[in-house]
Amino acid sequence: MTDPNKPASVARRTISTPLILTAILIALALIALASGSRPFNQTVIDIFLRVILVVGLYIFIGNSGVMSFGHIGFTCLGGYAAAWLTMPPMMKQTLLPGLPNWLMQLQLPYWAGALIAALWAALWAAVFGKILLRLSGIAASIATFAMLAMINTIYSNWESVTAATSSVVGIPIVRTIWPYLIAAILSVFIAWAHAISRAGLALRAARDEPTAAAASGVDITKERLIAFVISGAVMGMGGALFAHSIGVVTPDTFYLTLTFTSLSMLVVGGIGSLSGAVLGVVILSSLIQALRWLEAGVTVGSTTFGIPNGLQEITLGIVMIVILAFRPSGIMANSELIWPRARPEKPDEMSGTTPTQQGVTK
Amino acid sequence: MQTLFDALSLGSLYALGALGIALIFGVMRLVNFAHGDVISFSVFALLWPSTDAVALVFAGDLPWFLLIPFVLLMGAGLSVLCELIIFRRFRGANPATMMIASFALGFVIRYFLLMLFSSRPKSISLLPALSQPVEILGARIPLLQVITIVATIAILFALTAFLKRTRFGLEMRAAAENFTMARMLGVRANRVIMGAFALSGALAAAIGLILASQTGTADIQMGGAVMLMAFIATVIGGLGSLPGAVLAGFLLGAASVVMQTLLPIDARPFRDAFVYGAVILVLIFRPQGLIAAPGTKERV
């Protein structure tokens, strides 16, 4: 919703956020490339994957204000779709004998698989969203959680198609960093494009002032459904790439632990902020990595210092609590990273999109 | 008959868990994800730290009349401690922040236990006399199930009496209904919240005790599954509504057991999917829960 009275379009005024975030991601990729170490490379790939997932969460949760515990379900759908589409037919015959014949013979390159996986997840997001998004508030959160549990139960028991709880191996592994980088940047831009689109602005208006937004003609359920489907697609793509990064999928990879780590990253970064989503991932992932190194032991001179097992998670939990105690709305709160120059024009403006959003609500 | 008892005893567990979550939600709008870890903690409080597969018993050998209060105290103590150290700082934070904070806290507790006890489940025999079956109306039912059900009913009555007859209970109900108003009228917020945490911790400990004697193992994950169901029960029952939480807990337990027996064999592994599907249906038709608590309605 561009306002004709404003000199620059919303896109022009907010483009700096995705650009800065892209720069951060590229910088990470370059560091990984420069270090040349294999484990570090894998760490950065993990960070990119989490960026995709957390940005996917942000598209729905951040803009609609409805907490969703179910999005990792779409990641699960995406991961298994990637397995179905890209595994060699021989492997599929033994591991997943229940697949239909055409799917059994199919072997796509990983990027095509990831795209179809995203569409597949989006399709299911549309189906579930249509049913669930009539709810709001905590009831909606629980309903999404029930959806996650349903998906998990089905994938853990449908032996012939998902190999039940045993792991599906043989998914082609992609080790280079670039596809993950591109996908992460892509998801940042998708989130940005959605946030400044008519649907995104209307949805945020409805988040802040549901009554006023509804009175101004915002169809809350429809806008939520749009965000739900887009974020489902991003989560599905993330799931497919996740599968390609480790080469194995199990239903429990995509369950509570992943749900909570990604949600924590979003909340610590700042629920209502795209920059917060990316920074939350980068900060918490770096912390996790640093603690892992400490756990493995740091050699100083002839002695090795290491922290006991389990302390990594304990520290992580404590750090999260401390960050939230001091910044209850997350590191970025509701603001976005923008060029410093853009600020003086409107000093009280938190993010580039806020004025238009207020234009809708008031 | 067997089915009925299965349903009731599973339902009892869910109901107790849901009560513990609903109590805290009622007074401070916190969805406490650390609840499951309080359950595990109170069981592990009976053991010496060790990584062996067989538990080194510390307080578990106490006679039952000492053992039960000890476990309940441990649960309540931990819960109050969490309130004092952590949740007190989150008064007035938005619910998502509190939820993630409580989740982080649960994480800390779980890995603290992991550090001391390792992740291997330990065999532990608590109150072994209870695993004997008894015969009721022609069905052989483990004594433990009977005791679980009886204890739950007793706890429910005691809690109702406490909430309805004592001054403290009255304050707690007032706070659950309208916290700001209750404070204006002289209810001490911190005391009420602390009371809610203590009660909820004791309930968690009761679940821990029942679970540990039922399964004969102590596992740091043991609280998780019950907590999730309890959490769902709280919402279906109507968040903040205590009778609703109990009713929904029993309904969920009954639904799980009934589906287990009624579904065709092929569909049985998918039982939980059906239960969760039913949850979604209930939410769609009654988004405010079966028994909507006053004061939680969305106002325009």
Side-chain angles (χ1 to χ4, degrees):
Chain A
M1 178 170 271
T2 41
D3 191 339
N5 296 326
K6 294 271 190 270
S9 70
V10 182
R12 281 276 298 281
R13 279 186 288 122
T14 54
I15 187 75
S16 59
T17 304
L19 289 180
I20 294 174
L21 297 177
T22 305
I24 295 177
L25 295 176
I26 292 180
L28 267 174
L30 290 179
I31 297 173
L33 203 64
S35 82
S37 96
R38 185 87 163 255
F40 189 69
N41 216 36
Q42 194 64 32
T43 310
V44 174
I45 289 179
D46 279 348
I47 294 183
F48 289 155
L49 286 171
R50 289 203 191 104
V51 167
I52 299 172
L53 298 184
V54 175
V55 167
L57 283 177
Y58 158 80
I59 294 175
F60 180 71
I61 300 179
N63 290 314
S64 74
V66 177
M67 193 49 124
S68 163
F69 296 107
H71 272 68
I72 294 300
F74 300 132
T75 313
C76 181
L77 293 173
Y80 273 88
W84 293 337
L85 293 167
T86 60
M87 272 164 64
M90 289 289 285
M91 302 276 303
K92 276 193 265 196
Q93 221 115 48
T94 45
L95 275 172
L96 314 167
L99 288 179
N101 203 32
W102 60 271
L103 193 54
M104 192 73 93
Q105 304 307 329
L106 203 63
Q107 192 184 6
L108 294 175
Y110 72 90
W111 54 269
L115 278 182
I116 297 178
L119 290 178
W120 168 248
L123 173 77
W124 282 102
V127 172
F128 276 114
K130 195 83 193 145
I131 306 169
L132 300 182
L133 294 178
R134 290 195 256 169
L135 301 167
S136 59
I138 199 102
S141 311
I142 296 304
T144 56
F145 176 77
M147 173 189 85
L148 170 71
M150 270 172 93
I151 294 177
N152 181 268
T153 314
I154 292 172
Y155 274 69
S156 333
N157 289 296
W158 202 351
E159 186 86 46
S160 61
V161 181
T162 64
T165 44
S166 49
S167 30
V168 175
V169 291
I171 304 165
I173 298 184
V174 180
R175 282 205 201 286
T176 53
I177 208 163
W178 307 114
Y180 304 100
L181 174 67
I182 292 168
I185 294 174
L186 183 69
S187 53
V188 166
F189 271 90
I190 291 175
W192 168 76
H194 169 257
I196 64 161
S197 72
R198 191 191 162 84
L201 292 172
L203 186 57
R204 278 211 301 288
R207 173 193 70 187
D208 296 338
E209 283 291 341
T211 323
S216 322
V218 173
D219 182 348
I220 301 182
T221 317
K222 192 189 91 189
E223 309 300 355
R224 277 190 184 157
L225 184 60
I226 294 174
F228 201 67
V229 171
I230 297 176
S231 76
V234 172
M235 301 300 283
M237 176 176 78
L241 290 175
F242 197 117
H244 288 298
S245 79
I246 47 177
V248 180
V249 283
T250 62
D252 283 341
T253 323
F254 306 109
Y255 200 38
L256 295 178
T257 322
L258 192 58
T259 300
F260 280 111
T261 34
S262 41
L263 272 180
S264 313
M265 287 174 178
L266 182 62
V267 172
V268 168
I271 274 195
S273 156
L274 177 58
S275 323
V278 176
L279 286 185
V281 173
V282 173
I283 292 171
L284 284 191
S285 302
S286 325
L287 184 72
I288 292 174
Q289 198 52 41
L291 289 167
R292 267 194 207 145
W293 276 326
L294 282 181
E295 212 167 59
V298 177
T299 313
V300 180
S302 57
T303 42
T304 307
F305 297 96
I307 54 177
N309 264 339
L311 210 58
Q312 177 211 331
E313 285 83 357
I314 295 179
T315 322
L316 184 68
I318 293 174
V319 169
M320 274 166 53
I321 292 174
V322 169
I323 293 180
L324 289 178
F326 287 103
R327 297 204 60 132
S329 355
I331 295 170
M332 290 299 295
N334 278 318
S335 52
E336 299 285 358
L337 292 173
I338 47 174
W339 298 134
R341 205 167 2 123
R343 248 167 231 218
E345 287 172 34
K346 277 204 164 46
D348 59 343
E349 157 183 327
M350 294 281 273
S351 74
T353 51
T354 317
T356 329
Q357 175 193 329
Q358 281 168 349
V360 177
T361 46
K362 287 189 177 148
Chain B
M1 198 63 206
Q2 177 63 46
T3 315
L4 178 71
F5 271 86
D6 281 347
L8 277 177
S9 70
L10 190 62
S12 305
L13 277 184
Y14 293 160
L16 289 179
L19 256 184
I21 292 174
L23 268 174
I24 292 182
F25 185 87
V27 292
M28 61 181 292
R29 297 285 172 268
L30 158 73
V31 177
N32 188 8
F33 277 115
H35 200 69
D37 298 294
V38 177
I39 297 179
S40 330
F41 177 88
S42 28
V43 173
F44 277 95
L46 294 173
L47 312 174
W48 282 117
S50 79
T51 48
D52 301 339
V54 178
L56 282 173
V57 176
F58 151 61
D61 283 341
L62 292 172
W64 65 271
F65 54 88
L66 288 178
L67 178 83
I68 294 171
F70 176 81
V71 176
L72 295 186
L73 264 181
M74 289 313 285
L78 177 70
S79 195
V80 168
L81 203 65
C82 293
E83 199 304 286
L84 283 178
I85 300 177
I86 294 174
F87 292 123
R88 190 152 284 193
R89 294 176 210 292
F90 285 92
R91 296 283 156 75
N94 74 22
T97 305
M98 284 206 279
M99 203 150 74
I100 296 296
S102 76
F103 162 71
L105 174 70
F107 207 64
V108 170
I109 299 175
R110 194 172 331 139
Y111 280 92
F112 176 70
L113 291 177
L114 182 108
M115 246 170 83
L116 295 181
F117 296 99
S118 88
S119 61
R120 228 176 331 158
K122 292 170 190 306
S123 64
I124 168 177
S125 77
L126 278 178
L127 314 172
L130 295 186
S131 44
Q132 252 117 66
V134 286
E135 203 143 322
I136 299 176
L137 299 175
R140 287 168 69 81
I141 290 149
L143 184 58
L144 185 65
Q145 264 188 5
V146 181
I147 291 191
T148 306
I149 297 164
V150 171
T152 307
I153 294 170
I155 290 174
L156 291 182
F157 273 110
L159 201 64
T160 320
F162 170 77
L163 287 173
K164 298 239 152 136
R165 307 271 169 206
T166 64
R167 185 185 160 76
F168 196 75
L170 183 70
E171 289 185 354
M172 204 174 274
R173 281 190 299 141
E177 200 149 307
N178 187 336
F179 197 70
T180 330
M181 189 59 170
R183 280 188 86 168
M184 302 268 188
L185 295 174
V187 170
R188 299 232 183 89
N190 282 343
R191 228 181 51 171
V192 165
I193 290 180
M194 214 131 87
F197 269 96
L199 271 180
S200 143
L203 286 173
I207 299 173
L209 205 56
I210 295 171
L211 267 182
S213 24
Q214 230 168 37
T215 57
T217 49
D219 179 354
I220 55 170
Q221 306 280 0
M222 63 196 297
V226 179
M227 189 204 61
L228 285 179
M229 274 297 184
F231 179 43
I232 290 174
T234 329
V235 178
I236 298 186
L239 263 173
S241 150
L242 302 181
V246 173
L247 174 68
F250 277 112
L251 278 182
L252 270 181
S256 308
V257 173
V258 167
M259 286 197 187
Q260 180 74 41
T261 38
L262 288 190
L263 283 178
I265 305 241
D266 287 340
R268 252 177 226 176
F270 299 100
R271 180 197 75 182
D272 287 349
F274 287 98
V275 175
Y276 290 115
V279 166
I280 293 179
L281 279 184
V282 170
L283 284 175
I284 282 171
F285 289 108
R286 286 197 68 91
Q288 72 281 47
L290 296 172
I291 302 179
T296 51
K297 269 189 228 107
E298 278 185 58
R299 292 211 182 82
V300 175

PDB file of all heavy atoms in Angstrom, chain B residues 3-27:
ATOM      1  N   THR B   3     -10.304 -50.991  30.317  1.00  0.00           N
ATOM      2  CA  THR B   3     -10.204 -49.774  29.518  1.00  0.00           C
ATOM      3  C   THR B   3     -10.566 -48.553  30.343  1.00  0.00           C
ATOM      4  O   THR B   3      -9.890 -47.532  30.299  1.00  0.00           O
ATOM      5  CB  THR B   3     -11.174 -49.864  28.321  1.00  0.00           C
ATOM      6  OG1 THR B   3     -11.046 -51.145  27.748  1.00  0.00           O
ATOM      7  CG2 THR B   3     -10.867 -48.797  27.304  1.00  0.00           C
ATOM      8  N   LEU B   4     -11.633 -48.705  31.106  1.00  0.00           N
ATOM      9  CA  LEU B   4     -12.090 -47.582  31.922  1.00  0.00           C
ATOM     10  C   LEU B   4     -10.994 -47.137  32.881  1.00  0.00           C
ATOM     11  O   LEU B   4     -10.691 -45.948  33.008  1.00  0.00           O
ATOM     12  CB  LEU B   4     -13.338 -48.002  32.696  1.00  0.00           C
ATOM     13  CG  LEU B   4     -13.894 -46.931  33.635  1.00  0.00           C
ATOM     14  CD1 LEU B   4     -14.524 -45.815  32.825  1.00  0.00           C
ATOM     15  CD2 LEU B   4     -14.896 -47.529  34.596  1.00  0.00           C
ATOM     16  N   PHE B   5     -10.363 -48.144  33.516  1.00  0.00           N
ATOM     17  CA  PHE B   5      -9.314 -47.774  34.479  1.00  0.00           C
ATOM     18  C   PHE B   5      -8.097 -47.182  33.793  1.00  0.00           C
ATOM     19  O   PHE B   5      -7.493 -46.236  34.289  1.00  0.00           O
ATOM     20  CB  PHE B   5      -8.942 -48.987  35.346  1.00  0.00           C
ATOM     21  CG  PHE B   5      -9.794 -49.089  36.567  1.00  0.00           C
ATOM     22  CD1 PHE B   5     -11.011 -49.742  36.521  1.00  0.00           C
ATOM     23  CD2 PHE B   5      -9.388 -48.488  37.744  1.00  0.00           C
ATOM     24  CE1 PHE B   5     -11.819 -49.809  37.639  1.00  0.00           C
ATOM     25  CE2 PHE B   5     -10.189 -48.550  38.871  1.00  0.00           C
ATOM     26  CZ  PHE B   5     -11.413 -49.216  38.819  1.00  0.00           C
ATOM     27  N   ASP B   6      -7.758 -47.755  32.626  1.00  0.00           N
ATOM     28  CA  ASP B   6      -6.651 -47.174  31.865  1.00  0.00           C
ATOM     29  C   ASP B   6      -6.935 -45.711  31.562  1.00  0.00           C
ATOM     30  O   ASP B   6      -6.100 -44.831  31.747  1.00  0.00           O
ATOM     31  CB  ASP B   6      -6.468 -47.921  30.535  1.00  0.00           C
ATOM     32  CG  ASP B   6      -5.735 -49.224  30.731  1.00  0.00           C
ATOM     33  OD1 ASP B   6      -5.168 -49.397  31.829  1.00  0.00           O
ATOM     34  OD2 ASP B   6      -5.735 -50.047  29.807  1.00  0.00           O
ATOM     35  N   ALA B   7      -8.150 -45.480  31.072  1.00  0.00           N
ATOM     36  CA  ALA B   7      -8.521 -44.125  30.675  1.00  0.00           C
ATOM     37  C   ALA B   7      -8.456 -43.191  31.869  1.00  0.00           C
ATOM     38  O   ALA B   7      -7.905 -42.091  31.790  1.00  0.00           O
ATOM     39  CB  ALA B   7      -9.923 -44.123  30.076  1.00  0.00           C
ATOM     40  N   LEU B   8      -9.003 -43.668  32.994  1.00  0.00           N
ATOM     41  CA  LEU B   8      -9.035 -42.799  34.170  1.00  0.00           C
ATOM     42  C   LEU B   8      -7.631 -42.495  34.681  1.00  0.00           C
ATOM     43  O   LEU B   8      -7.337 -41.364  35.050  1.00  0.00           O
ATOM     44  CB  LEU B   8      -9.863 -43.450  35.284  1.00  0.00           C
ATOM     45  CG  LEU B   8     -11.371 -43.243  35.166  1.00  0.00           C
ATOM     46  CD1 LEU B   8     -12.081 -43.993  36.280  1.00  0.00           C
ATOM     47  CD2 LEU B   8     -11.723 -41.769  35.225  1.00  0.00           C
ATOM     48  N   SER B   9      -6.757 -43.521  34.685  1.00  0.00           N
ATOM     49  CA  SER B   9      -5.456 -43.251  35.287  1.00  0.00           C
ATOM     50  C   SER B   9      -4.599 -42.381  34.365  1.00  0.00           C
ATOM     51  O   SER B   9      -3.880 -41.495  34.829  1.00  0.00           O
ATOM     52  CB  SER B   9      -4.736 -44.547  35.659  1.00  0.00           C
ATOM     53  OG  SER B   9      -4.333 -45.224  34.513  1.00  0.00           O
ATOM     54  N   LEU B  10      -4.706 -42.601  33.047  1.00  0.00           N
ATOM     55  CA  LEU B  10      -3.985 -41.717  32.128  1.00  0.00           C
ATOM     56  C   LEU B  10      -4.539 -40.306  32.226  1.00  0.00           C
ATOM     57  O   LEU B  10      -3.809 -39.316  32.300  1.00  0.00           O
ATOM     58  CB  LEU B  10      -4.112 -42.247  30.696  1.00  0.00           C
ATOM     59  CG  LEU B  10      -3.224 -41.576  29.654  1.00  0.00           C
ATOM     60  CD1 LEU B  10      -1.767 -41.785  30.001  1.00  0.00           C
ATOM     61  CD2 LEU B  10      -3.520 -42.121  28.258  1.00  0.00           C
ATOM     62  N   GLY B  11      -5.875 -40.248  32.267  1.00  0.00           N
ATOM     63  CA  GLY B  11      -6.533 -38.952  32.400  1.00  0.00           C
ATOM     64  C   GLY B  11      -6.122 -38.233  33.668  1.00  0.00           C
ATOM     65  O   GLY B  11      -5.945 -37.023  33.671  1.00  0.00           O
ATOM     66  N   SER B  12      -5.932 -39.000  34.767  1.00  0.00           N
ATOM     67  CA  SER B  12      -5.525 -38.377  36.032  1.00  0.00           C
ATOM     68  C   SER B  12      -4.202 -37.654  35.870  1.00  0.00           C
ATOM     69  O   SER B  12      -4.030 -36.520  36.320  1.00  0.00           O
ATOM     70  CB  SER B  12      -5.339 -39.422  37.119  1.00  0.00           C
ATOM     71  OG  SER B  12      -6.482 -40.179  37.254  1.00  0.00           O
ATOM     72  N   LEU B  13      -3.266 -38.338  35.199  1.00  0.00           N
ATOM     73  CA  LEU B  13      -1.949 -37.730  35.004  1.00  0.00           C
ATOM     74  C   LEU B  13      -2.087 -36.424  34.234  1.00  0.00           C
ATOM     75  O   LEU B  13      -1.551 -35.386  34.626  1.00  0.00           O
ATOM     76  CB  LEU B  13      -1.047 -38.679  34.206  1.00  0.00           C
ATOM     77  CG  LEU B  13      -0.351 -39.765  34.977  1.00  0.00           C
ATOM     78  CD1 LEU B  13       0.566 -40.536  34.053  1.00  0.00           C
ATOM     79  CD2 LEU B  13       0.461 -39.153  36.103  1.00  0.00           C
ATOM     80  N   TYR B  14      -2.815 -36.491  33.114  1.00  0.00           N
ATOM     81  CA  TYR B  14      -2.983 -35.290  32.296  1.00  0.00           C
ATOM     82  C   TYR B  14      -3.686 -34.196  33.088  1.00  0.00           C
ATOM     83  O   TYR B  14      -3.339 -33.017  32.996  1.00  0.00           O
ATOM     84  CB  TYR B  14      -3.784 -35.602  31.036  1.00  0.00           C
ATOM     85  CG  TYR B  14      -3.069 -36.508  30.058  1.00  0.00           C
ATOM     86  CD1 TYR B  14      -3.777 -37.213  29.090  1.00  0.00           C
ATOM     87  CD2 TYR B  14      -1.682 -36.646  30.100  1.00  0.00           C
ATOM     88  CE1 TYR B  14      -3.127 -38.045  28.186  1.00  0.00           C
ATOM     89  CE2 TYR B  14      -1.030 -37.476  29.203  1.00  0.00           C
ATOM     90  CZ  TYR B  14      -1.753 -38.178  28.255  1.00  0.00           C
ATOM     91  OH  TYR B  14      -1.118 -38.992  27.367  1.00  0.00           O
ATOM     92  N   ALA B  15      -4.691 -34.609  33.881  1.00  0.00           N
ATOM     93  CA  ALA B  15      -5.460 -33.612  34.624  1.00  0.00           C
ATOM     94  C   ALA B  15      -4.572 -32.910  35.646  1.00  0.00           C
ATOM     95  O   ALA B  15      -4.605 -31.686  35.784  1.00  0.00           O
ATOM     96  CB  ALA B  15      -6.643 -34.270  35.307  1.00  0.00           C
ATOM     97  N   LEU B  16      -3.737 -33.702  36.354  1.00  0.00           N
ATOM     98  CA  LEU B  16      -2.850 -33.087  37.354  1.00  0.00           C
ATOM     99  C   LEU B  16      -1.883 -32.128  36.673  1.00  0.00           C
ATOM    100  O   LEU B  16      -1.624 -31.023  37.156  1.00  0.00           O
ATOM    101  CB  LEU B  16      -2.066 -34.167  38.102  1.00  0.00           C
ATOM    102  CG  LEU B  16      -2.871 -35.017  39.077  1.00  0.00           C
ATOM    103  CD1 LEU B  16      -1.969 -36.049  39.722  1.00  0.00           C
ATOM    104  CD2 LEU B  16      -3.512 -34.135  40.139  1.00  0.00           C
ATOM    105  N   GLY B  17      -1.338 -32.563  35.506  1.00  0.00           N
ATOM    106  CA  GLY B  17      -0.415 -31.695  34.783  1.00  0.00           C
ATOM    107  C   GLY B  17      -1.093 -30.426  34.323  1.00  0.00           C
ATOM    108  O   GLY B  17      -0.562 -29.323  34.477  1.00  0.00           O
ATOM    109  N   ALA B  18      -2.298 -30.594  33.784  1.00  0.00           N
ATOM    110  CA  ALA B  18      -3.018 -29.438  33.271  1.00  0.00           C
ATOM    111  C   ALA B  18      -3.319 -28.457  34.395  1.00  0.00           C
ATOM    112  O   ALA B  18      -3.217 -27.242  34.221  1.00  0.00           O
ATOM    113  CB  ALA B  18      -4.317 -29.884  32.599  1.00  0.00           C
ATOM    114  N   LEU B  19      -3.650 -29.005  35.582  1.00  0.00           N
ATOM    115  CA  LEU B  19      -3.920 -28.141  36.734  1.00  0.00           C
ATOM    116  C   LEU B  19      -2.690 -27.298  37.067  1.00  0.00           C
ATOM    117  O   LEU B  19      -2.791 -26.091  37.302  1.00  0.00           O
ATOM    118  CB  LEU B  19      -4.246 -28.999  37.947  1.00  0.00           C
ATOM    119  CG  LEU B  19      -5.681 -29.089  38.367  1.00  0.00           C
ATOM    120  CD1 LEU B  19      -5.769 -29.903  39.637  1.00  0.00           C
ATOM    121  CD2 LEU B  19      -6.257 -27.718  38.588  1.00  0.00           C
ATOM    122  N   GLY B  20      -1.536 -27.950  37.079  1.00  0.00           N
ATOM    123  CA  GLY B  20      -0.310 -27.240  37.418  1.00  0.00           C
ATOM    124  C   GLY B  20      -0.038 -26.100  36.451  1.00  0.00           C
ATOM    125  O   GLY B  20       0.398 -25.014  36.845  1.00  0.00           O
ATOM    126  N   ILE B  21      -0.309 -26.333  35.164  1.00  0.00           N
ATOM    127  CA  ILE B  21      -0.069 -25.287  34.181  1.00  0.00           C
ATOM    128  C   ILE B  21      -1.131 -24.194  34.290  1.00  0.00           C
ATOM    129  O   ILE B  21      -0.839 -23.000  34.229  1.00  0.00           O
ATOM    130  CB  ILE B  21      -0.023 -25.897  32.770  1.00  0.00           C
ATOM    131  CG1 ILE B  21       1.223 -26.774  32.643  1.00  0.00           C
ATOM    132  CG2 ILE B  21       0.001 -24.814  31.702  1.00  0.00           C
ATOM    133  CD1 ILE B  21       1.327 -27.542  31.366  1.00  0.00           C
ATOM    134  N   ALA B  22      -2.385 -24.634  34.493  1.00  0.00           N
ATOM    135  CA  ALA B  22      -3.478 -23.665  34.554  1.00  0.00           C
ATOM    136  C   ALA B  22      -3.352 -22.749  35.767  1.00  0.00           C
ATOM    137  O   ALA B  22      -3.663 -21.559  35.690  1.00  0.00           O
ATOM    138  CB  ALA B  22      -4.817 -24.389  34.591  1.00  0.00           C
ATOM    139  N   LEU B  23      -2.884 -23.289  36.898  1.00  0.00           N
ATOM    140  CA  LEU B  23      -2.736 -22.477  38.113  1.00  0.00           C
ATOM    141  C   LEU B  23      -1.831 -21.281  37.830  1.00  0.00           C
ATOM    142  O   LEU B  23      -2.144 -20.141  38.162  1.00  0.00           O
ATOM    143  CB  LEU B  23      -2.105 -23.306  39.221  1.00  0.00           C
ATOM    144  CG  LEU B  23      -3.037 -24.027  40.171  1.00  0.00           C
ATOM    145  CD1 LEU B  23      -2.230 -24.911  41.102  1.00  0.00           C
ATOM    146  CD2 LEU B  23      -3.838 -23.011  40.969  1.00  0.00           C
ATOM    147  N   ILE B  24      -0.685 -21.561  37.198  1.00  0.00           N
ATOM    148  CA  ILE B  24       0.264 -20.485  36.950  1.00  0.00           C
ATOM    149  C   ILE B  24      -0.250 -19.555  35.868  1.00  0.00           C
ATOM    150  O   ILE B  24      -0.153 -18.339  35.979  1.00  0.00           O
ATOM    151  CB  ILE B  24       1.644 -21.071  36.578  1.00  0.00           C
ATOM    152  CG1 ILE B  24       2.221 -21.767  37.800  1.00  0.00           C
ATOM    153  CG2 ILE B  24       2.566 -19.985  36.109  1.00  0.00           C
ATOM    154  CD1 ILE B  24       3.574 -22.338  37.588  1.00  0.00           C
ATOM    155  N   PHE B  25      -0.861 -20.150  34.836  1.00  0.00           N
ATOM    156  CA  PHE B  25      -1.379 -19.288  33.780  1.00  0.00           C
ATOM    157  C   PHE B  25      -2.425 -18.341  34.350  1.00  0.00           C
ATOM    158  O   PHE B  25      -2.474 -17.165  33.994  1.00  0.00           O
ATOM    159  CB  PHE B  25      -1.989 -20.110  32.645  1.00  0.00           C
ATOM    160  CG  PHE B  25      -2.431 -19.259  31.501  1.00  0.00           C
ATOM    161  CD1 PHE B  25      -1.543 -18.914  30.507  1.00  0.00           C
ATOM    162  CD2 PHE B  25      -3.721 -18.752  31.445  1.00  0.00           C
ATOM    163  CE1 PHE B  25      -1.925 -18.092  29.472  1.00  0.00           C
ATOM    164  CE2 PHE B  25      -4.116 -17.927  30.420  1.00  0.00           C
ATOM    165  CZ  PHE B  25      -3.212 -17.594  29.429  1.00  0.00           C
ATOM    166  N   GLY B  26      -3.252 -18.860  35.262  1.00  0.00           N
ATOM    167  CA  GLY B  26      -4.308 -18.037  35.833  1.00  0.00           C
ATOM    168  C   GLY B  26      -3.774 -16.791  36.502  1.00  0.00           C
ATOM    169  O   GLY B  26      -4.300 -15.704  36.288  1.00  0.00           O
ATOM    170  N   VAL B  27      -2.700 -16.922  37.284  1.00  0.00           N
ATOM    171  CA  VAL B  27      -2.256 -15.734  38.011  1.00  0.00           C
ATOM    172  C   VAL B  27      -1.289 -14.867  37.227  1.00  0.00           C
ATOM    173  O   VAL B  27      -1.234 -13.671  37.449  1.00  0.00           O
ATOM    174  CB  VAL B  27      -1.630 -16.053  39.384  1.00  0.00           C
ATOM    175  CG1 VAL B  27      -2.689 -16.588  40.320  1.00  0.00           C
ATOM    176  CG2 VAL B  27      -0.485 -17.008  39.265  1.00  0.00           C
TER     177      VAL B  27
END
